Amino acid sequence: MMLVMACIGGKHNIWLVLLAAFVCVSGSWAIFRLFQRAANTTGPEKIGWHFLTATAAGSAIWCTHFIAMLAYDPGAPVAFDAVLTIVSLLVAIGGALVSFVMATSGSSWLTPITGGSLLGVSIAAMHYTGMFAYRVQGIVDWDMTYLVASIVLSVVFSAVSMHLAVNGKFNRRLAAASGVLALAIVSLHFTGMTAFKITPLSTAGAFTDHAALQAMALAIALVGMIVVGTGLVSYLIDDRTRADSYQRLRQMAMNDSLTGLPNRVSFNDRLDREIRAAGNTGKRIALVCIDLDRFKEINDVRGHSSGDEVLRTLALRMSDLLRDGEFVARLGGDEFAAIHHAHSAEALNGFLARIETAMFKPIRIGDFEVTPGASIGVALYPDDADTKEMLINNADLAMYRAKADRTKAVCFYEQGMDETVRARRTLAGELREALDNNELDLHYQVQTAVSTGEVRGYEVLLRWKHPKHGFIPPSEFIPLAEETGLILQLGEWVLRTACAAATSWTPAYKIAVNLSPVQLSHADLPKLIHEILLETQLPASRLELELTESTIIADKVRTLHILRQIKQLGVTIALDDFGTGYSSLETLRSFPFDTIKLDRSFMSEVETSPQAKAIIRAVLALGKSLSIPVLAEGIETQSQLSLLDAEGCDAAQGFYLGRPAPLDQIMISGQISRIEAGIAA
């Protein structure tokens, strides 16, 4: 069509016409690429992209016009007015800028059509301004029919092109909009040139140097394409920057920033895909939930930077142990999850063994080592669940069972776990309510001198009488309190209540209060004890704190530091359950204990087991050599008490001497009752 119209209204250089067409088509494609970016941005960035688009559009339209003008041979000398020529370029750029802004300024379907119509008017204004800059030695006549037709064609095609650019699928609308815009530019120019009639007055000075003419056209085309190319390169650079930013954002959105492992979003996506695949193939997958055992303690004792280092180390270990079909993610905090294609029990057990090894291998941070440990729960799809939510819930239940059972780190889901865990969660909530509603009580068990029967003091024992279930044993609710973190609040209540009660005792006996490992790991424990002693006015020498060696072994250096702070207050320290667990001479040598409490298990066997009797003698001899008094627990018979007396034991405690009881049951006329040795309470 363009070539046909080029033949109307005068001779044209076909090569320059083709060059003009190339500039027009390529420019139109670049214009709508840039326009699409402008339409998808906001704020100052949107204005910037509109300016780039308008500059490229004005340059492409102007270059197309002037190359085509140079292709036209009127048969008479010609020249160009410099001012009007520059004005025509500015008209094209300014009009395009206004039209593009208008086309994206509203949501109505008329908005792009209005903007496109304005673009058509701008193209026509540029063309006819450029024509006024065209100076020819001849008589110029205009065919108004063709002139009006050229403007109408420009407006209609430009409106259609903008409508296509804003609506429809991008790839298709881009090609269609570019083609229609090129048609708008070409139809305007050649229809307008058909309206342009010249009667030469002179042929002298007419263009005869076609090489110079072509060189000028090529220069204009080159400048125009440089301008368009600059805009297009900006688009490509921005597109790449956006792609890189998207990848970075996706990386941040799908991966944990601390460890680099996939995060919860990635985990859910992967689990969905694995479940769909397993449903189609009939294969099994294992979901493994992992919760660190000592992460809170590491954070509290060593600081969050050490906790972060532990997480990074564990993440690296787990990444290194993965094989084909295995996946691990960090869900948040100290929680991890893994997915394994459970082709066989042997393969699954091998995978779990690798995870367990990674979790329990010591981690060196600076000058100390920590062993984070973990509770690991496993549930199988579709054996244990038929939905993702149920699978996650069941793996969690298995993990909580592993956390409650200190004898094993890995636990598989069993159907009965639902009821058990639900009951434990209910009990945990009720324990919190019991503390808030003052439903807990303290019982006291007497500690006497073995040789004289004189009361030395009382051990404070926490008791909980549930309104429905009756007495809940401490062996059940204390571990639950430790798991939920309630033990800190419970321990503070016990210490404050016991110290306040003991203040009014006559005689002023000592009280012994047990410390949980969780309490001992708390950095503010010495400060809390000091505040309670000041608040209750109980002399520090009347308070004894009991802890087991398993509590100490977790972090000997820090525990020793805390115990020394406590002893500086005047409080005494007792080593509880000695003879079991990690008992060692090194512990007795390193820590400032004031009392050794011999575990009750030895007393239960002393009358039948020579080995138990030998251990008791050894412990008593050890205590004497270190000048540390020994208190034997679990005394239930007179013969046990007599044996301890014969061996030189300092103190004893047990049902034979006195059962744990509330304070009001051991008070006699405002005095703490004296329980003579050999008289059962």
Side-chain angles (χ1 to χ4, degrees):
M1 176 179 179
M2 181 175 66
L3 294 177
V4 172
M5 295 184 70
C7 297
I8 302 175
K11 293 173 62 179
H12 285 76
N13 185 320
I14 189 63
W15 297 111
L16 292 184
V17 170
L18 292 175
L19 178 61
F22 172 76
V23 172
C24 181
V25 173
S26 59
S28 298
W29 179 84
I31 288 167
F32 281 116
R33 279 284 179 180
L34 294 170
F35 175 74
Q36 183 262 343
R37 179 53 45 81
N40 292 333
T41 54
T42 57
E45 186 182 359
K46 187 183 189 76
I47 298 299
W49 280 109
H50 274 315
F51 179 77
L52 267 179
T53 306
T55 302
S59 300
I61 295 168
W62 184 87
C63 288
T64 299
H65 165 76
F66 272 91
I67 293 171
M69 287 294 298
L70 291 174
Y72 177 71
D73 183 6
V78 296
F80 292 92
D81 183 277
V83 174
L84 287 177
T85 300
I86 294 173
V87 168
S88 67
L89 174 62
L90 296 178
V91 166
I93 294 175
L97 177 61
V98 175
S99 63
F100 289 142
V101 171
M102 180 176 292
T104 58
S105 62
S107 57
S108 170
W109 65 274
L110 283 174
T111 303
I113 294 177
T114 303
S117 299
L118 181 59
L119 178 62
V121 171
S122 301
I123 296 172
M126 181 280 307
H127 175 81
Y128 287 109
T129 301
M131 291 301 298
F132 285 129
Y134 189 75
R135 301 286 188 249
V136 61
Q137 294 185 17
I139 300 172
V140 176
D141 292 319
W142 291 94
D143 187 324
M144 297 306 297
T145 302
Y146 280 108
L147 189 148
V148 171
S150 69
I151 297 174
V152 171
L153 288 172
S154 176
V155 170
V156 171
F157 285 139
S158 296
V160 172
S161 70
M162 196 69 74
H163 174 74
L164 292 172
V166 174
N167 301 287
K169 293 184 178 180
F170 174 70
N171 289 332
R172 292 181 180 178
R173 78 187 187 205
L174 178 65
S178 301
V180 176
L181 178 61
L183 187 60
I185 298 169
V186 169
S187 63
L188 167 73
H189 178 84
F190 288 108
T191 304
M193 292 304 293
T194 303
F196 186 61
K197 304 294 185 182
I198 298 176
T199 302
L201 297 177
S202 171
T203 60
F207 282 127
T208 56
D209 191 346
H210 297 290
L213 190 69
Q214 292 176 1
M216 184 183 298
L218 287 172
I220 293 173
L222 181 61
V223 172
M225 294 309 296
I226 288 175
V227 174
V228 173
T230 301
L232 190 57
V233 168
S234 300
Y235 169 87
L236 295 174
I237 292 174
D238 182 71
D239 199 47
R240 180 55 185 266
T241 302
R242 285 171 178 263
D244 292 343
S245 298
Y246 174 78
Q247 288 300 324
R248 285 195 297 270
L249 290 173
R250 179 176 174 80
Q251 175 76 10
M252 292 171 62
M254 303 297 287
N255 290 78
D256 176 54
S257 59
L258 176 64
T259 63
L261 289 177
N263 61 11
R264 187 181 293 273
V265 175
S266 294
F267 164 75
N268 285 324
D269 181 63
R270 177 64 176 261
L271 187 57
D272 285 333
R273 286 187 281 115
E274 293 288 358
I275 288 177
R276 284 196 298 269
N280 294 332
T281 61
K283 295 180 180 179
R284 297 191 306 167
I285 61 170
L287 174 61
V288 183
C289 287
I290 307 164
D291 189 82
L292 303 188
D293 290 338
R294 298 185 56 219
F295 184 68
K296 185 178 185 305
E297 179 186 335
I298 293 170
N299 265 342
D300 291 343
V301 175
R302 298 295 180 180
H304 290 283
S305 59
S306 295
D308 291 346
E309 183 61 29
V310 167
L311 291 175
R312 282 191 289 265
T313 301
L314 292 177
L316 182 60
R317 288 178 182 177
M318 286 190 285
S319 297
D320 290 342
L321 65 80
L322 294 179
R323 299 174 183 172
D324 290 341
E326 297 173 349
F327 173 86
V328 67
R330 182 190 176 205
L331 303 185
D334 60 346
E335 298 179 42
F336 296 85
I339 300 173
H340 173 79
H341 292 168
H343 301 302
S344 66
E346 182 180 2
L348 176 57
N349 290 333
F351 177 60
L352 295 174
R354 281 181 271 137
I355 291 179
E356 189 174 355
T357 299
M359 292 295 169
F360 284 87
K361 184 179 179 181
I363 298 174
R364 175 160 289 279
I365 302 176
D367 59 350
F368 68 96
E369 279 191 351
V370 294
T371 303
S375 300
I376 302 170
V378 186
L380 299 175
Y381 177 90
D383 304 41
D384 300 324
D386 54 10
T387 65
K388 181 181 81 171
E389 291 74 18
M390 187 180 297
L391 183 65
I392 294 173
N393 181 70
N394 292 347
D396 272 338
L397 293 178
M399 185 267 291
Y400 283 116
R401 171 65 67 86
K403 189 173 287 291
D405 188 349
R406 301 303 178 103
T407 63
K408 54 184 178 181
V410 180
C411 187
F412 283 80
Y413 171 76
E414 297 172 2
Q415 193 168 2
M417 287 181 179
D418 288 332
E419 185 176 348
T420 302
V421 172
R422 195 178 300 114
R424 283 181 63 80
R425 289 176 178 171
T426 302
L427 193 63
E430 292 172 341
L431 178 58
R432 190 176 297 276
E433 292 176 2
L435 179 60
D436 294 338
N437 299 331
N438 295 317
E439 296 175 3
L440 300 173
D441 193 15
L442 296 183
H443 285 203
Y444 299 82
Q445 186 173 31
V446 70
Q447 298 174 337
T448 67
V450 172
S451 58
T452 65
E454 180 185 4
V455 174
R456 293 282 185 87
Y458 288 82
E459 180 179 4
V460 181
L461 302 169
L462 182 61
R463 294 292 183 262
W464 178 22
K465 186 177 181 180
H466 193 281
K468 293 182 179 179
H469 307 301
F471 281 104
I472 307 293
S475 59
E476 184 173 343
F477 72 80
I478 292 296
L480 189 60
E482 291 177 334
E483 290 176 21
T484 59
L486 188 60
I487 191 65
L488 294 176
Q489 192 176 350
L490 272 178
E492 181 178 347
W493 179 84
V494 169
L495 193 59
R496 178 173 278 107
T497 304
C499 289
T503 304
S504 61
W505 289 359
T506 304
Y509 294 124
K510 294 186 69 166
I511 57 168
V513 179
N514 288 281
L515 283 181
S516 161
V518 179
Q519 288 177 276
L520 196 61
S521 68
H522 202 277
D524 292 334
L525 180 61
K527 179 181 177 182
L528 175 64
I529 294 171
H530 188 216
E531 290 175 352
I532 290 175
L533 291 174
L534 291 176
E535 176 188 322
T536 60
Q537 297 297 305
L538 181 74
S541 59
R542 291 184 57 196
L543 175 62
E544 183 165 83
L545 299 177
E546 299 183 1
L547 65 154
T548 63
E549 192 168 7
S550 60
T551 301
I552 301 168
I553 203 70
D555 191 339
K556 287 188 176 182
V557 175
R558 183 180 181 281
T559 303
L560 177 59
H561 177 67
I562 290 179
L563 291 182
R564 283 175 175 163
Q565 287 182 302
I566 294 173
K567 279 187 68 67
Q568 286 176 359
L569 300 174
V571 176
T572 57
I573 308 293
L575 179 59
D576 199 9
D577 299 338
F578 188 78
T580 63
Y582 298 97
S583 298
S584 68
L585 297 178
E586 172 63 22
T587 301
L588 293 176
R589 186 190 68 81
S590 302
F591 287 81
F593 294 111
D594 299 286
T595 304
I596 296 173
K597 296 190 71 174
L598 186 63
D599 189 70
R600 67 182 67 248
S601 61
F602 297 106
M603 297 310 304
S604 64
E605 301 176 5
V606 71
E607 296 176 282
T608 59
S609 171
Q611 291 84 1
K613 186 181 293 186
I615 291 174
I616 291 172
R617 282 201 189 104
V619 173
L620 293 174
L622 180 62
K624 283 183 172 58
S625 65
L626 296 175
S627 300
I628 302 176
V630 176
L631 184 150
E633 296 182 291
I635 309 305
E636 298 185 358
T637 66
Q638 175 62 46
S639 60
Q640 292 174 346
L641 188 62
S642 298
L643 184 146
L644 291 177
D645 189 19
E647 296 294 338
C649 184
D650 299 281
Q653 175 182 344
F655 289 170
Y656 183 70
L657 302 173
R659 291 180 176 273
L663 187 59
D664 58 358
Q665 293 184 20
I666 60 173
M667 293 288 289
I668 302 176
S669 302
Q671 303 289 316
I672 296 292
S673 62
R674 289 177 174 271
I675 303 178
E676 299 297 333
I679 303 177

